Short mmCIF file of all heavy atoms in Angstrom, two decimals:
data_model
loop_
_atom_site.label_atom_id
_atom_site.label_comp_id
_atom_site.label_asym_id
_atom_site.label_seq_id
_atom_site.Cartn_x
_atom_site.Cartn_y
_atom_site.Cartn_z
N LEU A 371 28.61 -12.59 -7.71
CA LEU A 371 28.60 -11.55 -6.66
C LEU A 371 27.89 -12.01 -5.41
O LEU A 371 26.75 -12.45 -5.53
CB LEU A 371 28.02 -10.32 -7.22
CG LEU A 371 27.85 -9.10 -6.31
CD1 LEU A 371 29.22 -8.65 -5.78
CD2 LEU A 371 27.01 -7.97 -6.88
N THR A 372 28.63 -11.85 -4.27
CA THR A 372 27.97 -12.19 -3.06
C THR A 372 27.97 -10.94 -2.16
O THR A 372 28.93 -10.29 -1.93
CB THR A 372 28.81 -13.32 -2.29
OG1 THR A 372 28.98 -14.48 -3.14
CG2 THR A 372 28.18 -13.64 -0.95
N LEU A 373 26.76 -10.72 -1.65
CA LEU A 373 26.61 -9.53 -0.75
C LEU A 373 26.12 -10.15 0.62
O LEU A 373 25.17 -10.80 0.69
CB LEU A 373 25.49 -8.63 -1.22
CG LEU A 373 25.62 -8.05 -2.68
CD1 LEU A 373 24.51 -7.07 -2.97
CD2 LEU A 373 26.97 -7.25 -2.75
N GLY A 374 26.86 -9.74 1.65
CA GLY A 374 26.51 -10.17 3.01
C GLY A 374 26.35 -8.97 3.89
O GLY A 374 27.30 -8.28 4.23
N GLY A 375 25.06 -8.71 4.33
CA GLY A 375 24.83 -7.61 5.20
C GLY A 375 25.27 -6.21 4.70
O GLY A 375 25.53 -5.37 5.46
N THR A 376 25.20 -6.06 3.36
CA THR A 376 25.55 -4.70 2.90
C THR A 376 24.32 -3.76 3.00
O THR A 376 23.17 -4.32 2.80
CB THR A 376 26.00 -4.82 1.35
OG1 THR A 376 25.00 -5.45 0.62
CG2 THR A 376 27.35 -5.55 1.31
N GLY A 377 24.57 -2.49 3.17
CA GLY A 377 23.45 -1.61 3.49
C GLY A 377 22.97 -0.78 2.26
O GLY A 377 23.55 -0.94 1.17
N SER A 378 21.99 0.05 2.53
CA SER A 378 21.43 0.87 1.47
C SER A 378 22.35 1.96 0.99
O SER A 378 22.09 2.48 -0.07
CB SER A 378 20.08 1.43 2.00
OG SER A 378 20.29 2.30 3.03
N GLY A 379 23.39 2.22 1.62
CA GLY A 379 24.37 3.19 1.23
C GLY A 379 25.32 2.59 0.14
O GLY A 379 26.04 3.35 -0.49
N THR A 380 25.22 1.27 -0.04
CA THR A 380 25.94 0.60 -1.13
C THR A 380 25.19 0.82 -2.45
O THR A 380 24.02 0.61 -2.55
CB THR A 380 26.13 -0.83 -0.79
OG1 THR A 380 26.72 -1.07 0.48
CG2 THR A 380 27.00 -1.54 -1.89
N THR A 381 25.99 1.28 -3.52
CA THR A 381 25.38 1.51 -4.84
C THR A 381 25.78 0.35 -5.81
O THR A 381 26.97 0.17 -6.00
CB THR A 381 25.78 2.89 -5.35
OG1 THR A 381 25.45 3.82 -4.43
CG2 THR A 381 25.20 3.10 -6.74
N ILE A 382 24.82 -0.28 -6.40
CA ILE A 382 25.03 -1.29 -7.43
C ILE A 382 24.06 -1.09 -8.56
O ILE A 382 22.85 -1.23 -8.38
CB ILE A 382 24.80 -2.68 -6.78
CG1 ILE A 382 25.86 -2.88 -5.68
CG2 ILE A 382 24.96 -3.75 -7.85
CD1 ILE A 382 25.76 -4.31 -4.98
N ASP A 383 24.58 -0.76 -9.68
CA ASP A 383 23.80 -0.68 -10.89
C ASP A 383 24.67 -0.87 -12.12
O ASP A 383 25.86 -0.75 -12.12
CB ASP A 383 23.02 0.67 -11.01
CG ASP A 383 23.98 1.88 -11.11
OD1 ASP A 383 24.60 2.06 -12.23
OD2 ASP A 383 24.10 2.66 -10.14
N HIS A 384 24.04 -1.38 -13.23
CA HIS A 384 24.78 -1.70 -14.49
C HIS A 384 25.90 -2.67 -14.26
O HIS A 384 27.08 -2.37 -14.44
CB HIS A 384 25.32 -0.32 -15.14
CG HIS A 384 24.27 0.54 -15.60
ND1 HIS A 384 23.68 1.52 -14.72
CD2 HIS A 384 23.57 0.69 -16.74
CE1 HIS A 384 22.71 2.19 -15.35
NE2 HIS A 384 22.59 1.73 -16.63
N VAL A 385 25.46 -3.76 -13.69
CA VAL A 385 26.41 -4.96 -13.41
C VAL A 385 25.93 -6.16 -14.05
O VAL A 385 24.68 -6.46 -14.17
CB VAL A 385 26.50 -5.12 -11.93
CG1 VAL A 385 27.32 -6.36 -11.61
CG2 VAL A 385 27.08 -3.88 -11.16
N GLN A 386 26.85 -6.97 -14.68
CA GLN A 386 26.52 -8.23 -15.33
C GLN A 386 27.33 -9.35 -14.64
O GLN A 386 28.61 -9.11 -14.47
CB GLN A 386 26.79 -8.21 -16.84
CG GLN A 386 26.51 -9.57 -17.46
CD GLN A 386 26.92 -9.60 -18.99
OE1 GLN A 386 27.59 -8.75 -19.37
NE2 GLN A 386 26.40 -10.59 -19.61
N SER A 387 26.71 -10.41 -14.13
CA SER A 387 27.36 -11.60 -13.69
C SER A 387 27.18 -12.64 -14.75
O SER A 387 26.06 -13.03 -15.08
CB SER A 387 26.76 -12.02 -12.38
OG SER A 387 27.34 -13.30 -11.97
N HIS A 388 28.22 -13.15 -15.36
CA HIS A 388 28.15 -14.04 -16.41
C HIS A 388 28.83 -15.37 -16.15
O HIS A 388 29.96 -15.50 -15.69
CB HIS A 388 28.82 -13.49 -17.70
CG HIS A 388 28.91 -14.42 -18.91
ND1 HIS A 388 27.74 -14.79 -19.49
CD2 HIS A 388 29.94 -14.99 -19.47
CE1 HIS A 388 28.14 -15.65 -20.50
NE2 HIS A 388 29.41 -15.83 -20.52
N ASN A 389 28.09 -16.52 -16.44
CA ASN A 389 28.52 -17.84 -16.37
C ASN A 389 29.21 -18.16 -14.99
O ASN A 389 30.32 -18.70 -14.87
CB ASN A 389 29.58 -18.21 -17.46
CG ASN A 389 28.93 -18.64 -18.71
OD1 ASN A 389 27.72 -18.28 -18.97
ND2 ASN A 389 29.56 -19.36 -19.57
N SER A 390 28.40 -17.93 -13.94
CA SER A 390 28.79 -18.40 -12.58
C SER A 390 28.45 -19.87 -12.47
O SER A 390 27.38 -20.33 -12.89
CB SER A 390 28.08 -17.60 -11.52
OG SER A 390 28.17 -18.27 -10.24
N ALA A 391 29.33 -20.64 -11.85
CA ALA A 391 29.04 -22.02 -11.61
C ALA A 391 28.11 -22.20 -10.45
O ALA A 391 27.74 -23.37 -10.19
CB ALA A 391 30.40 -22.81 -11.29
N ASP A 392 27.70 -21.13 -9.78
CA ASP A 392 26.64 -21.23 -8.79
C ASP A 392 25.64 -20.11 -9.12
O ASP A 392 25.25 -19.98 -10.26
CB ASP A 392 27.25 -21.10 -7.40
CG ASP A 392 26.17 -21.54 -6.28
OD1 ASP A 392 25.78 -22.71 -6.37
OD2 ASP A 392 25.93 -20.78 -5.44
N ASP A 393 25.28 -19.30 -8.14
CA ASP A 393 24.32 -18.21 -8.31
C ASP A 393 24.98 -17.06 -9.07
O ASP A 393 26.20 -16.78 -8.92
CB ASP A 393 23.72 -17.66 -7.07
CG ASP A 393 23.03 -18.84 -6.29
OD1 ASP A 393 22.39 -19.66 -6.98
OD2 ASP A 393 22.98 -18.79 -5.05
N GLY A 394 24.20 -16.30 -9.88
CA GLY A 394 24.67 -15.04 -10.44
C GLY A 394 25.04 -14.05 -9.37
O GLY A 394 26.07 -13.44 -9.32
N VAL A 395 24.03 -13.79 -8.51
CA VAL A 395 24.20 -12.96 -7.27
C VAL A 395 23.42 -13.65 -6.21
O VAL A 395 22.32 -14.05 -6.33
CB VAL A 395 23.74 -11.51 -7.57
CG1 VAL A 395 22.29 -11.45 -8.02
CG2 VAL A 395 23.99 -10.71 -6.34
N GLU A 396 24.05 -13.65 -4.99
CA GLU A 396 23.32 -14.15 -3.82
C GLU A 396 23.46 -13.04 -2.78
O GLU A 396 24.57 -12.54 -2.49
CB GLU A 396 23.77 -15.46 -3.28
CG GLU A 396 22.96 -15.89 -2.12
CD GLU A 396 23.04 -17.38 -1.84
OE1 GLU A 396 23.99 -18.08 -2.36
OE2 GLU A 396 22.23 -17.96 -1.00
N ILE A 397 22.32 -12.70 -2.13
CA ILE A 397 22.31 -11.63 -1.07
C ILE A 397 21.89 -12.20 0.19
O ILE A 397 20.75 -12.71 0.34
CB ILE A 397 21.32 -10.54 -1.58
CG1 ILE A 397 21.71 -9.98 -2.94
CG2 ILE A 397 21.37 -9.40 -0.52
CD1 ILE A 397 20.66 -8.99 -3.51
N PHE A 398 22.74 -12.09 1.19
CA PHE A 398 22.41 -12.57 2.58
C PHE A 398 22.13 -11.38 3.46
O PHE A 398 23.01 -10.60 3.85
CB PHE A 398 23.64 -13.28 3.13
CG PHE A 398 24.01 -14.57 2.34
CD1 PHE A 398 24.97 -14.50 1.36
CD2 PHE A 398 23.37 -15.77 2.62
CE1 PHE A 398 25.26 -15.66 0.56
CE2 PHE A 398 23.82 -16.96 1.88
CZ PHE A 398 24.69 -16.87 0.88
N GLY A 399 20.86 -11.17 3.77
CA GLY A 399 20.54 -10.06 4.67
C GLY A 399 20.87 -8.73 4.07
O GLY A 399 21.12 -8.55 2.81
N GLY A 400 20.82 -7.67 4.91
CA GLY A 400 21.12 -6.34 4.41
C GLY A 400 20.01 -5.66 3.77
O GLY A 400 18.92 -6.16 3.69
N THR A 401 20.36 -4.46 3.18
CA THR A 401 19.31 -3.51 2.61
C THR A 401 19.73 -2.89 1.29
O THR A 401 19.29 -1.84 1.00
CB THR A 401 18.97 -2.50 3.65
OG1 THR A 401 20.21 -1.79 4.04
CG2 THR A 401 18.35 -3.03 4.98
N THR A 402 20.65 -3.57 0.64
CA THR A 402 21.22 -2.96 -0.72
C THR A 402 20.17 -3.10 -1.73
O THR A 402 19.44 -4.17 -1.96
CB THR A 402 22.42 -3.66 -1.08
OG1 THR A 402 23.43 -3.45 -0.06
CG2 THR A 402 22.95 -3.10 -2.45
N ASN A 403 19.97 -2.08 -2.53
CA ASN A 403 19.04 -2.00 -3.70
C ASN A 403 19.93 -2.19 -5.03
O ASN A 403 21.09 -1.80 -4.97
CB ASN A 403 18.26 -0.76 -3.72
CG ASN A 403 17.53 -0.52 -2.48
OD1 ASN A 403 16.88 -1.44 -1.92
ND2 ASN A 403 17.57 0.74 -1.90
N MET A 404 19.25 -2.63 -6.04
CA MET A 404 20.05 -2.74 -7.29
C MET A 404 19.14 -2.35 -8.52
O MET A 404 17.97 -2.64 -8.51
CB MET A 404 20.46 -4.21 -7.52
CG MET A 404 21.38 -4.72 -6.45
SD MET A 404 22.22 -6.27 -6.88
CE MET A 404 20.92 -7.43 -7.23
N LYS A 405 19.80 -1.76 -9.49
CA LYS A 405 19.17 -1.39 -10.76
C LYS A 405 20.09 -1.84 -11.95
O LYS A 405 21.36 -1.85 -11.80
CB LYS A 405 18.91 0.13 -10.93
CG LYS A 405 17.66 0.57 -10.28
CD LYS A 405 17.39 2.04 -10.64
CE LYS A 405 16.01 2.51 -10.15
NZ LYS A 405 15.66 3.89 -10.39
N TYR A 406 19.42 -2.19 -13.08
CA TYR A 406 20.25 -2.61 -14.26
C TYR A 406 21.23 -3.67 -13.88
O TYR A 406 22.41 -3.46 -14.06
CB TYR A 406 20.87 -1.38 -14.91
CG TYR A 406 19.88 -0.46 -15.52
CD1 TYR A 406 19.55 0.66 -14.82
CD2 TYR A 406 19.27 -0.69 -16.73
CE1 TYR A 406 18.57 1.62 -15.44
CE2 TYR A 406 18.32 0.10 -17.28
CZ TYR A 406 18.02 1.29 -16.59
OH TYR A 406 17.05 2.20 -17.13
N PHE A 407 20.80 -4.80 -13.48
CA PHE A 407 21.60 -5.92 -13.06
C PHE A 407 21.22 -7.12 -13.95
O PHE A 407 20.07 -7.43 -14.06
CB PHE A 407 21.39 -6.32 -11.62
CG PHE A 407 22.59 -7.10 -11.06
CD1 PHE A 407 23.44 -6.56 -10.10
CD2 PHE A 407 22.83 -8.44 -11.44
CE1 PHE A 407 24.54 -7.29 -9.62
CE2 PHE A 407 23.90 -9.16 -10.97
CZ PHE A 407 24.78 -8.63 -10.02
N VAL A 408 22.26 -7.69 -14.60
CA VAL A 408 22.04 -8.78 -15.47
C VAL A 408 22.75 -10.01 -15.07
O VAL A 408 23.95 -9.99 -14.67
CB VAL A 408 22.62 -8.38 -16.90
CG1 VAL A 408 22.49 -9.52 -17.92
CG2 VAL A 408 21.91 -7.15 -17.55
N VAL A 409 22.02 -11.16 -15.07
CA VAL A 409 22.69 -12.41 -14.92
C VAL A 409 22.50 -13.39 -16.11
O VAL A 409 21.39 -13.52 -16.53
CB VAL A 409 22.10 -13.16 -13.69
CG1 VAL A 409 22.80 -14.54 -13.42
CG2 VAL A 409 22.31 -12.34 -12.40
N THR A 410 23.66 -13.73 -16.72
CA THR A 410 23.55 -14.56 -17.87
C THR A 410 24.26 -15.96 -17.59
O THR A 410 25.40 -15.87 -17.05
CB THR A 410 24.19 -13.92 -19.07
OG1 THR A 410 25.44 -13.33 -18.76
CG2 THR A 410 23.23 -12.77 -19.58
N GLY A 411 23.62 -17.05 -17.95
CA GLY A 411 24.33 -18.37 -17.92
C GLY A 411 24.68 -18.83 -16.57
O GLY A 411 25.61 -19.70 -16.50
N SER A 412 24.08 -18.47 -15.50
CA SER A 412 24.42 -19.06 -14.17
C SER A 412 24.06 -20.50 -14.12
O SER A 412 22.98 -20.98 -14.76
CB SER A 412 23.79 -18.21 -13.07
OG SER A 412 22.39 -18.36 -13.16
N ASP A 413 24.80 -21.29 -13.36
CA ASP A 413 24.57 -22.73 -13.26
C ASP A 413 23.48 -23.00 -12.26
O ASP A 413 22.86 -24.06 -12.30
CB ASP A 413 25.87 -23.40 -12.86
CG ASP A 413 25.84 -24.95 -13.18
OD1 ASP A 413 25.39 -25.28 -14.28
OD2 ASP A 413 26.20 -25.72 -12.32
N ASP A 414 23.27 -22.13 -11.26
CA ASP A 414 22.31 -22.27 -10.29
C ASP A 414 21.36 -21.05 -10.46
O ASP A 414 21.03 -20.73 -11.62
CB ASP A 414 22.84 -22.38 -8.95
CG ASP A 414 21.93 -22.92 -7.88
OD1 ASP A 414 20.81 -23.31 -8.20
OD2 ASP A 414 22.26 -22.91 -6.62
N ASP A 415 20.89 -20.46 -9.42
CA ASP A 415 19.93 -19.33 -9.56
C ASP A 415 20.57 -18.10 -10.08
O ASP A 415 21.76 -17.88 -9.87
CB ASP A 415 19.32 -19.13 -8.08
CG ASP A 415 18.82 -20.36 -7.45
OD1 ASP A 415 18.06 -21.10 -8.09
OD2 ASP A 415 19.16 -20.53 -6.27
N ALA A 416 19.69 -17.31 -10.68
CA ALA A 416 20.29 -15.93 -11.13
C ALA A 416 20.27 -15.03 -9.94
O ALA A 416 21.35 -14.51 -9.61
CB ALA A 416 19.41 -15.43 -12.27
N PHE A 417 19.13 -14.75 -9.37
CA PHE A 417 19.02 -13.81 -8.19
C PHE A 417 18.49 -14.68 -6.99
O PHE A 417 17.39 -15.19 -6.98
CB PHE A 417 17.98 -12.69 -8.51
CG PHE A 417 18.38 -11.78 -9.61
CD1 PHE A 417 18.07 -12.11 -10.91
CD2 PHE A 417 19.10 -10.65 -9.42
CE1 PHE A 417 18.44 -11.22 -11.97
CE2 PHE A 417 19.47 -9.77 -10.43
CZ PHE A 417 19.16 -10.09 -11.72
N ASP A 418 19.41 -14.82 -6.02
CA ASP A 418 19.12 -15.58 -4.81
C ASP A 418 19.15 -14.68 -3.67
O ASP A 418 20.21 -14.04 -3.37
CB ASP A 418 20.09 -16.67 -4.67
CG ASP A 418 19.69 -17.71 -3.63
OD1 ASP A 418 18.82 -17.45 -2.79
OD2 ASP A 418 20.29 -18.82 -3.65
#
Side-chain angles (χ1 to χ4, degrees):
L371 174 64
T372 303
L373 304 179
T376 55
S378 60
T380 305
T381 299
I382 297 180
D383 64 73
H384 295 88
V385 175
Q386 179 183 15
S387 174
H388 175 67
N389 274 26
S390 168
D392 196 57
D393 299 327
V395 55
E396 185 161 12
I397 306 177
F398 298 93
T401 54
T402 297
N403 307 313
M404 301 196 304
K405 274 187 177 179
Y406 293 99
F407 200 108
V408 175
V409 178
T410 49
S412 62
D413 199 46
D414 197 5
D415 310 313
F417 296 88
D418 191 343

